[in-house]
């Protein structure tokens, strides 16, 4: 995972959803720009039962 992101999945969820809302049009754009492995991110957030919803552009 990216060094600047929190390790706790609940805090990570808030950070990622805020970034998606404020700065990125898609999860792919966020991952590319921040050099984050998309699979690793989605797996980490799935641990707390969140999945990415492209229509809402957020983890729900």
């Amino acid at each position: 995972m990216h060094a600047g992101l929190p390790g706790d999945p609940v805090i990570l969820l808030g950070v990622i959803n805020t970034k998606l809302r404020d700065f990125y049009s898609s999860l792919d754009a966020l991952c590319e720009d921040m050099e984050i492995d998309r699979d690793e991110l989605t797996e980490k957030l799935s641990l707390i039962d969140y999945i990415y919803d492209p229509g809402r552009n957020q983890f729900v």
Side-chain angles (χ1 to χ4, degrees):
M1 189 64 60
H2 190 268
L5 292 173
D8 181 281
V10 175
I11 297 171
L12 179 64
L13 171 68
V15 170
I16 293 298
N17 274 346
T18 298
K19 287 184 178 295
L20 286 168
R21 181 191 68 217
D22 294 346
F23 303 110
Y24 298 99
S25 61
S26 70
L27 181 58
D28 288 331
L30 178 144
C31 290
E32 182 178 331
D33 185 57
M34 295 189 68
E35 299 179 355
I36 298 171
D37 182 287
R38 180 187 169 121
D39 292 337
E40 188 178 345
L41 176 62
T42 55
E43 183 178 319
K44 185 145 192 165
L45 292 177
S46 74
L47 294 173
I48 56 170
D49 298 322
Y50 279 80
I51 59 166
Y52 180 67
D53 179 344
R56 296 172 71 176
N57 191 35
Q58 67 181 15
F59 281 86
V60 294

